Amino acid sequence: MPGRIHALHGFIGSGKTTLARTLETQLGALRFTSDEWMTALYGQDPPADAFPALFRRVMTVMEAQWTRAAALGVPVILDHGFWTRAARDELRAQAAALGAPLTLHVLTVPDAEARRRVQARNLQPGALLIADDTFDLFRPRFEPLTPDEEGLQDVTRWP
């Protein structure tokens, strides 16, 4: 039986990694946090012009690992954000191809709180740095879960 996929959907600073760490412990799951892989491989502040290519590499390697783990029956936590409907549709297709159940954990916080969290996180050693202007640049790219997606997988809401 394939392992359950737990995917975290939320914008920067919504609490995805905090929840992912909690679920990892509670469920005995394997956690895949893209920010941690980015900083481990490319440092806290990778060059903006190289970031998209570096991020794609990380996501490709992570996908190979999490799909294998899920296929072997290990529950996985995908701490990525799944900002677009297209990304969520692709994830649903991957879960279906694996025969793995999928839970989408939806995290929402007001932008002011998210920004405050990001600014505090930027001060922590090993954090992937997110500048205020980057936060502003990325905000319009985030697509919230739509009502028609609610029934396509299990959905939990945080907080």
Side-chain angles (χ1 to χ4, degrees):
M1 175 77 174
R4 178 171 288 276
I5 300 167
H6 295 269
L8 281 60
H9 167 61
F11 189 58
I12 299 167
S14 63
K16 295 181 303 296
T17 301
T18 300
L19 176 59
R21 288 176 178 147
T22 299
L23 291 173
E24 173 185 39
T25 302
Q26 289 177 347
L27 304 174
L30 191 55
R31 177 174 56 90
F32 294 88
T33 299
S34 55
D35 286 0
E36 291 176 357
W37 287 47
M38 285 294 294
T39 57
L41 294 169
Y42 306 115
Q44 286 185 267
D45 196 12
D49 60 333
F51 192 93
L54 299 176
F55 188 74
R56 277 192 301 278
R57 278 188 209 156
V58 163
M59 295 305 289
T60 298
V61 173
M62 281 179 42
E63 181 178 320
Q65 299 304 309
W66 75 256
T67 54
R68 178 76 175 131
L72 291 171
V74 177
V76 297
I77 300 163
L78 307 180
D79 176 11
H80 170 56
F82 299 93
W83 287 7
T84 65
R85 172 67 185 255
R88 295 186 297 273
D89 287 346
E90 181 180 337
L91 176 63
R92 282 189 281 275
Q94 289 173 306
L98 290 167
L102 171 62
T103 299
L104 189 65
H105 301 273
V106 179
L107 294 94
T108 55
V109 298
D111 281 354
E113 174 62 13
R115 186 183 302 272
R116 185 198 64 72
R117 290 176 180 183
V118 169
Q119 290 167 345
R121 184 176 66 205
N122 282 342
L123 301 175
Q124 300 301 313
L128 184 64
L129 300 178
I130 307 290
D132 283 342
D133 59 340
T134 302
F135 184 99
D136 296 335
L137 176 70
F138 287 162
R139 191 63 179 110
R141 298 180 189 182
F142 181 79
E143 299 172 11
L145 193 68
T146 60
D148 66 308
E149 290 181 87
E150 291 282 345
L152 299 177
Q153 69 281 305
D154 290 336
V155 174
T156 64
R157 296 201 177 272
W158 303 86

